[in-house]
Amino acid sequence: MLGCHRMFIVSLLFYSGFKSITRTKQMLTTLAVKTASGGLFSKLKTGASKLISSAAKMSLQAKYETLAVTVPHEFVYHVELNRPEKLNAMSKTMWFEIGKCFETLDSDENCRVVVLSGAGKVFTAGLDLKDAMDMAPELAEQEDVARKAKIVVAKLRGYQKSLTAIELCKKPVVAAVHSACIGGGVDLIAATDMRYCSKDAWFQVKEVDIGMAADVGTLQRLPKIIGSDSWAREVCYTARKVQAPEALSSGLVSRVFEDKESLIKGAIDIAQDIAKKSPVAVQGTKVSLVYARDHSVQDGLNQIAVWNQLMLQSEDFTNAVVAQATKQKDVVFSKL
């Protein structure tokens, strides 16, 4: 009988062409309702969900060399920097894959929230300097400074675009930092929505120590995150380490956990809570917050007015209001 269940699920998935997983689940639910016992099709529906989830996880894992992407709970994705043997140093491949990953998650209807962490002993040691030096032969081929500069600026803009993809991803991104977060790691978490860390975490804007100014987002985003221009300038000019307690008091992170294990669990728990909310509401909120940060108050008000003239007509608004009025819990919102 179990084999028949599986064959039925697979046939139904192929019938839908995997183009609409929601439609497939709706078909299974309808069948269950029409069946007196409902038991058989309830099992089929559960089996289909598990099969779809497994396929999604396998597909994600196969895409990246330097990232590990998993789905710990429905609508919650966990992205890990995955070069533990290199202390998660940010190579060219990793920079590219970060951008690709978050551009993909932005349009993935199965993703509502992302937790970003690092595998191994540290969050990230920052830029992979050895990897970055591979650009030297290309520069050596050019004698004129303008030609050299053209090569460098193309690389920089590519790296900037990769991290900005995190900010432009409409799904909230929760950074979970343990141990070291150096240089490019600060650029990385500055593009996220929320930042948590473990007690052993420390942060360092390292660039001035290697004779350069940070150029991938820290100088642009950090002052706006913490709200203290003086503090931001101090840590950027001195390249000193910022330990977890100071990161919390400054506003760089909003919560400190005992260790990495409790950090990851806490971040995923918060992500789950967000994932239960209307995706229309959550994504609209992120878009508006990012827009308002870089524009005047009036521009921000105009933006959200235009946005909500459409989104207040969404079924999510009606369903959420009715749920609040009737004290209904665990409202299920459609994918977006």
Side-chain angles (χ1 to χ4, degrees):
M1 180 64 78
L2 182 60
C4 293
H5 292 179
R6 188 175 295 276
M7 287 298 296
F8 184 87
I9 292 169
V10 172
S11 298
L12 196 54
L13 288 172
F14 273 108
Y15 173 77
S16 68
F18 279 100
K19 293 180 180 179
S20 177
I21 291 173
T22 301
R23 182 177 63 184
T24 304
K25 288 184 176 179
Q26 289 173 343
M27 292 169 66
L28 288 167
T29 303
T30 301
L31 286 170
V33 170
K34 289 182 178 179
T35 302
S37 66
L40 170 62
F41 289 104
S42 176
K43 291 179 181 178
L44 289 174
K45 182 183 176 184
T46 301
S49 297
K50 290 181 178 178
L51 184 63
I52 291 164
S53 178
S54 297
K57 291 178 184 179
M58 290 172 62
S59 176
L60 284 165
Q61 288 283 17
K63 285 183 178 179
Y64 307 107
E65 294 178 25
T66 65
L67 303 177
V69 184
T70 55
V71 186
H73 295 282
E74 186 178 22
F75 301 126
V76 176
Y77 279 51
H78 184 190
V79 177
E80 285 184 287
L81 307 182
N82 194 33
R83 297 184 76 206
E85 73 287 351
K86 299 291 186 181
L87 301 180
N88 293 325
M90 302 169 73
S91 63
K92 288 182 293 185
T93 301
M94 181 180 284
W95 285 101
F96 171 77
E97 290 188 341
I98 288 171
K100 178 183 177 183
C101 177
F102 282 93
E103 286 173 358
T104 300
L105 293 178
D106 179 48
S107 60
D108 187 346
E109 65 177 8
N110 295 302
C111 174
R112 292 185 182 176
V113 191
V114 185
V115 173
L116 176 62
S117 69
K121 295 180 179 180
V122 306
F123 180 74
T124 177
L127 179 67
D128 187 330
L129 293 175
K130 183 178 179 181
D131 186 79
M133 291 304 293
D134 290 345
M135 185 171 59
E138 188 177 0
L139 293 175
E141 293 177 3
Q142 304 292 336
E143 294 184 1
D144 181 68
V145 66
R147 275 72 185 178
K148 292 177 186 286
K150 182 180 179 180
I151 296 170
V152 173
V153 76
K155 300 284 186 184
L156 290 179
R157 285 178 176 163
Y159 290 170
Q160 291 172 348
K161 181 181 178 182
S162 289
L163 297 196
T164 296
I166 298 173
E167 190 171 77
L168 294 181
C169 175
K170 292 184 289 296
K171 320 303 171 62
V173 182
V174 183
V177 180
H178 74 287
S179 190
C181 179
I182 305 170
V186 180
D187 291 308
L188 176 64
I189 66 168
T192 63
D193 294 87
M194 299 175 292
R195 290 156 297 280
Y196 304 133
C197 73
S198 56
K199 280 187 175 180
D200 68 341
W202 54 275
F203 307 81
Q204 187 175 24
V205 184
K206 185 70 174 174
E207 282 80 356
V208 294
D209 276 350
I210 59 172
M212 62 173 287
D215 53 16
V216 198
T218 291
L219 303 184
Q220 293 70 38
R221 296 186 175 104
L222 186 61
K224 296 178 180 179
I225 288 171
I226 62 173
S228 172
D229 184 71
S230 176
W231 189 90
R233 288 172 185 263
E234 179 190 327
V235 297
C236 292
Y237 293 156
T238 63
R240 69 175 179 81
K241 293 182 180 180
V242 175
Q243 303 294 337
E246 185 180 2
L248 178 63
S249 64
S250 69
L252 178 58
V253 301
S254 52
R255 192 175 299 185
V256 177
F257 291 83
E258 188 65 31
D259 51 30
K260 182 182 179 182
E261 183 179 357
S262 61
L263 166 68
I264 300 301
K265 181 182 183 303
I268 290 176
D269 285 347
I270 292 165
Q272 278 187 275
D273 187 43
I274 297 171
K276 293 176 183 177
K277 312 295 184 185
S278 157
V280 173
V282 172
Q283 292 176 34
T285 298
K286 175 168 181 176
V287 169
S288 189
L289 284 170
V290 172
Y291 184 90
R293 183 198 63 191
D294 299 328
H295 294 78
S296 70
V297 172
Q298 188 58 53
D299 286 343
L301 290 170
N302 291 340
Q303 180 272 333
I304 193 60
V306 172
W307 183 277
N308 267 358
Q309 70 180 347
L310 296 172
M311 298 309 167
L312 288 178
Q313 301 179 62
S314 166
E315 65 180 39
D316 286 27
F317 179 65
T318 302
N319 293 340
V321 169
V322 170
Q324 288 289 312
T326 59
K327 297 184 180 180
Q328 178 185 351
K329 296 182 179 179
D330 300 322
V331 184
V332 177
F333 296 99
S334 301
K335 295 180 179 180
L336 178 64

